[in-house]
Amino acid sequence: MTEPFIAKAWETLDTKWQEVGTYFTLSWVGPMHLVMQNYPEAAKGLEDVAEQVIPDGFALTYETRESEPVGFIMAVALHGDHQNGTCCRLLASSPLTETAEGLLTDFSLALWTLVEAGQLPKFEQAAELENILTKRTSPFLFTLRQEEITPPEELRKQQEKLNLTGISEESV
């Protein structure tokens, strides 16, 4: 993996985590061959690209930030062509806006790139990976309990301006 791809992945992680964290919590699940066996909904959503799913890869999962999440998104890494590298398929419990789709795709691709390049621990080393990502970003990215970790002021301002999931604050 070339240095420009790695540098771009770090830049994406550093600049987009707050926007992701404003609306979603992050976790991961895998390897994908077990996800495909245990979650028929995911397997059905990947039928048309099943041969491209990275069987030992991990999916990133995003849940909406309500106390009882109303939305769930799974980002699945796919083998791409030689020029584009890894691709991404988002499986969502409800329709996503183009903005949310682009944000989560970019963020997911950045994480997979950094793990694949050895810049971050593998997903199997969950505690170590979460610890490094928490130090680089904030515990807010991983926790649903907003009352325990107050988001940075800029996150609150972003949340007021833009609702990426299409869910109004009245429904929260």
Side-chain angles (χ1 to χ4, degrees), residues 117-138:
Q119 298 287 307
L120 288 173
K122 300 217 175 279
F123 291 103
E124 294 92 329
Q125 301 166 295
E128 185 179 350
L129 177 57
E130 185 173 335
N131 184 41
I132 290 170
L133 287 172
T134 297
K135 287 178 182 175
R136 184 88 184 209
T137 61
S138 164

Side-chain angles (χ1 to χ4, degrees), residues 32-133:
M32 281 307 296
H33 68 273
L34 294 177
V35 173
M36 299 284 278
Q37 288 174 3
N38 295 319
Y39 298 94
E41 313 82 37
K44 184 172 171 63
L46 297 167
E47 285 177 340
D48 63 323
V49 292
E51 69 284 347
Q52 292 177 275
V53 172
I54 301 170
D56 59 343
F58 276 63
L60 299 173
T61 57
Y62 301 93
E63 286 186 292
T64 56
R65 265 204 185 278
E66 294 80 22
S67 59
E68 294 199 21
V70 296
F72 177 84
I73 300 131
M74 180 182 285
V76 179
L78 306 174
H79 290 292
D81 59 42
H82 294 292
Q83 292 179 335
N84 295 320
T86 303
C87 299
C88 179
R89 167 69 63 93
L90 296 178
L91 304 172
S93 59
S94 58
L96 296 172
T97 65
E98 282 184 41
T99 303
E101 191 172 318
L103 174 67
L104 295 178
T105 296
D106 290 348
F107 192 78
S108 298
L109 290 172
L111 280 177
W112 287 318
T113 296
L114 294 168
V115 169
E116 186 178 307
Q119 298 287 307
L120 288 173
K122 300 217 175 279
F123 291 103
E124 294 92 329
Q125 301 166 295
E128 185 179 350
L129 177 57
E130 185 173 335
N131 184 41
I132 290 170
L133 287 172

